[in-house]
């Protein structure tokens, strides 16, 4: 970590205000100022690894995640709207696959944390709230293949009177995952 002289002064002033106002918080201002005064900025990265990490989500991953969540929202709504015969056909055409969003791999896919934040913290994609979002296996490659089929449909769907996926569109999108 590198701090400019100006940033050090600003932090010192904020630490003084923090102390003077007796604010309770997660940051130990004495530790912070000791690290700055004595040249131990590296220790802040250790002590505040949750705050000072380099794992910022890339715009590409955020876009992929939101596109995937939107796609799955369309899939689940369309499947739910089908009658029993239509649902049976969609499943039969997809090796009895139940079209339910199962999340992302919590250990290996950055999309997991992004989805969790979108759903649980930001209140987006409400239909997925409360679900276990860890698929425990890598699924992004499957979802990206599905997206290639879904995107042209999504681009045309707003021009239709029925904005739900048709049975044939649902089958095509789900088949792409294989």
């Amino acid at each position: 970590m590198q701090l400019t002289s100006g940033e050090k002064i600003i932090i010192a002033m904020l630490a003084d205000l923090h102390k003077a106002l007796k604010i309770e918080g997660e940051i130990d201002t004495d530790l912070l100022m000791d690290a700055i005064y004595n040249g131990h900025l590296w220790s802040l990265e250790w002590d505040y690894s949750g705050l000072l990490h380099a794992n910022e989500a890339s715009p590409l991953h955020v876009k992929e995640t939101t596109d995937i969540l939107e796609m799955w929202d369309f899939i689940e709504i369309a499947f739910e709207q089908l009658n029993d015969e239509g649902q049976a056909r969609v499943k039969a055409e997809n090796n009895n696959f139940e079209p339910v969003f199962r999340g992302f791999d919590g250990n290996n896919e950055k999309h997991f944390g992004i989805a969790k934040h979108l759903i649980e913290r930001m209140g987006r994609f409400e239909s997925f709230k409360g679900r276990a979002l860890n698929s425990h296996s890598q699924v992004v490659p499957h979802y990206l293949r599905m997206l290639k089929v879904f995107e042209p449909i999504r681009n045309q769907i707003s021009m239709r009177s029925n904005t739900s996926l048709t049975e044939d569109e649902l089958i095509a999108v789900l088949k792409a995952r294989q």
Side-chain angles (χ1 to χ4, degrees):
M1 174 189 298
Q2 298 288 328
L3 293 176
T4 66
S5 296
E7 290 168 334
K8 289 176 183 177
I9 290 170
I10 291 169
I11 292 170
M13 290 171 49
L14 288 172
D16 286 347
L17 280 173
H18 193 265
K19 277 185 180 178
L21 295 173
K22 298 179 182 173
I23 297 172
E24 294 291 324
E26 292 183 31
I27 303 293
D28 179 343
T29 54
D30 290 333
L31 175 73
L32 175 66
M33 293 314 302
D34 186 59
I36 291 172
Y37 280 124
N38 296 306
H40 297 296
L41 295 179
W42 59 267
S43 70
L44 298 175
E45 291 178 6
W46 285 23
D47 287 335
Y48 299 111
S49 60
L51 177 64
L52 304 173
H53 57 77
N55 296 328
E56 190 66 33
S58 75
L60 172 67
H61 286 124
V62 173
K63 181 172 178 5
E64 283 178 351
T65 304
T66 55
D67 287 347
I68 289 167
L69 291 169
E70 181 180 14
M71 175 185 69
W72 271 106
D73 198 36
F74 268 92
I75 289 170
E76 289 189 7
I77 289 169
F79 185 75
E80 219 174 82
Q81 292 175 349
L82 294 175
N83 60 25
D84 291 345
E85 185 179 294
Q87 287 184 359
R89 178 176 171 238
V90 168
K91 283 184 186 178
E93 295 273 346
N94 285 284
N95 300 321
N96 289 321
F97 177 73
E98 183 76 29
V100 174
F101 177 63
R102 290 173 173 77
F104 299 96
D105 187 344
N107 293 323
N108 300 299
E109 294 173 332
K110 292 181 184 278
H111 302 74
F112 171 78
I114 297 166
K116 192 170 172 95
H117 187 76
L118 282 165
I119 296 164
E120 303 297 333
R121 300 301 260 164
M122 294 179 69
R124 307 293 172 102
F125 303 100
E126 288 282 323
S127 62
F128 304 128
K129 190 170 182 140
R131 293 190 192 182
L133 297 173
N134 191 347
S135 64
H136 299 286
S137 64
Q138 294 183 17
V139 291
V140 170
H142 304 285
Y143 293 164
L144 293 178
R145 287 194 298 272
M146 293 168 68
L147 263 177
K148 284 183 183 178
V149 175
F150 175 73
E151 283 177 340
I153 297 168
R154 176 180 54 193
N155 293 338
Q156 298 298 317
I157 210 161
S158 64
M159 293 182 240
R160 303 187 321 209
S161 59
N162 181 0
T163 57
S164 185
L165 296 172
T166 67
E167 198 172 302
D168 289 333
E169 289 169 337
L170 193 52
I171 289 168
V173 171
L174 291 170
K175 274 191 174 188
R177 73 176 170 60
Q178 300 171 0

